[in-house]
Amino acid sequence: MDNTELSHLVKQISLKSFQKPFKDEVVFNKRLRTTGGRYLPSLRRIEINPKYLDELGMDDLVGIIKHELCHYHLHVEGKGYQHRDHDFRELLKKTNAPRHCRPLPSKENERLHQYQCTQCGRLYKRKRRVDTSKYRCGKCKGKLKKV
């Protein structure tokens, strides 16, 4: 899928789910790493992470588009378009758009360090190493060991 096909898809979803036209720009942005998409209010542009289409498929892509269209339409109407705003949360429910996107399967392997509590057995997964002499289990205050 290229940017013109993406633009056509976004316009279809906007008319079907929001009954409003999408008149601005939407593009794929390969540099997005931690999010499925973003809405830039100053440019009135939606950017979508193409990795979500490649790894998770069309259903997740449609969910991300709906989420970003919620930001877009509320911003255009002058209503609260940020995640904390009541208008945004209501529109998410109304359009059945996800509040957050799922993590990419390719990013799941980045959690390299696993620690387990010696008392309760709780497992902690971390990207960075933890100093086990300094930190304890958050549940029972037991010692941590590297798994």
Side-chain angles (χ1 to χ4, degrees), residues 72-89:
Y72 169 79
H73 286 300
L74 289 171
H75 177 253
V76 169
E77 294 170 6
K79 297 180 180 176
Y81 64 92
Q82 296 178 340
H83 285 124
R84 66 176 181 258
D85 294 325
H86 180 72
D87 294 331
F88 180 74
R89 292 184 185 191

Side-chain angles (χ1 to χ4, degrees), residues 17-18 20 66-67 70-71 74 77 79-99:
S17 297
F18 297 87
K20 297 172 188 168
K66 282 184 180 180
H67 177 97
C70 288
H71 287 297
L74 289 171
E77 294 170 6
K79 297 180 180 176
Y81 64 92
Q82 296 178 340
H83 285 124
R84 66 176 181 258
D85 294 325
H86 180 72
D87 294 331
F88 180 74
R89 292 184 185 191
E90 288 298 315
L91 190 57
L92 283 178
K93 288 179 189 173
K94 183 181 171 188
T95 59
N96 198 22
R99 184 135 185 249

Side-chain angles (χ1 to χ4, degrees), residues 5 13-14 17 27 31 33 46 57 68-69 96 101-102 106 117 120 123 128 130 142:
E5 291 171 341
I13 293 170
S14 181
S17 297
V27 293
R31 289 173 283 133
R33 290 180 163 258
I46 293 175
E68 299 309 326
L69 282 172
N96 198 22
C101 56
R102 294 190 305 164
S106 62
C117 176
C120 68
L123 189 67
R128 294 183 180 184
V130 172

